Amino acid sequence: MDFPSLVDNACRVLKDRRPVIENKYYFEMAEYKKTLNFSDHIVGYPDTVSLMLKVKLLGYLMEEGRTLAVKTKPIEGYGLANIIIDEVVFSNREYEKDIEVKVVRPEEEDSVYGISIYLDGSGDIGPGISGREEVQLFVTESYEKPSVWYGNMQ
């Protein structure tokens, strides 16, 4: 048996014996609670502010693209924040992706709104890694008096 045939046989055996790893996903973040204050984005007074969330996949790369179901739900005790998220599709060779979340300016100043963004297992990708599949986002537009504000300046 020549060397190329030997290598081909070894590769086939190893491919057939590779362990089955279920594809899972997770948010890659330092904190799973984020606060966005529109007062930090006052230049141009935008109606929306974009926030990027990094999602990673575990498991084998697939031959075809996969859709990740990103859903939202309210956070108890807070008004519902308005966000826009486009459909998330991983190409066949992608294992990480930045998801753009467009956050809409809150209706009232000095009020805190909340929304939970979570990765649902109903897309082409199964359930995520427990504890890393949900991000809580709190949105406000509140302005504080600067610490260097002097006397009765209006």
Side-chain angles (χ1 to χ4, degrees):
M1 184 178 277
D2 63 346
F3 184 72
S5 299
L6 184 64
V7 171
D8 284 344
N9 271 346
C11 287
R12 261 190 240 108
V13 168
L14 289 175
K15 183 178 179 184
D16 293 341
R17 289 186 177 184
R18 73 179 181 186
V20 175
I21 298 176
E22 185 177 341
N23 285 309
K24 292 187 177 272
Y25 52 80
Y26 63 97
F27 281 119
E28 182 182 67
M29 304 177 67
E31 295 181 29
Y32 291 88
K33 287 186 179 184
K34 289 189 154 294
T35 301
L36 176 68
N37 191 340
F38 268 78
S39 68
D40 297 335
H41 304 274
I42 196 165
V43 176
Y45 199 74
D47 291 331
T48 62
V49 171
S50 291
L51 176 72
M52 302 305 280
L53 301 177
K54 184 178 286 296
V55 176
K56 286 194 169 185
L57 292 175
L58 294 176
Y60 293 113
L61 297 176
M62 306 297 275
E63 295 300 320
E64 66 280 339
R66 295 167 287 178
T67 303
L68 179 64
V70 181
K71 297 189 178 179
T72 62
K73 61 185 175 184
I75 298 175
E76 190 175 325
Y78 293 92
L80 188 62
N82 293 323
I83 64 170
I84 301 164
I85 302 174
D86 294 331
E87 182 180 47
V88 180
V89 178
F90 282 84
S91 70
N92 61 338
R93 301 318 248 171
E94 253 180 327
Y95 64 91
E96 69 179 36
K97 186 178 246 353
D98 287 325
I99 299 174
E100 181 181 21
V101 178
K102 295 176 187 164
V103 183
V104 179
R105 182 178 294 280
E107 295 176 9
E108 296 179 19
E109 285 185 16
D110 298 323
S111 294
V112 178
Y113 298 85
I115 193 163
S116 178
I117 304 166
Y118 65 100
L119 305 173
D120 183 76
S122 65
D124 297 333
I125 304 169
I129 295 177
S130 181
R132 298 189 77 182
E133 74 275 9
E134 184 175 343
V135 175
Q136 291 185 336
L137 176 63
F138 299 94
V139 181
T140 187
E141 183 175 8
S142 60
Y143 300 88
E144 296 180 14
K145 184 176 178 181
S147 60
V148 294
W149 204 270
Y150 298 109
N152 294 329
M153 291 180 70
Q154 296 288 337

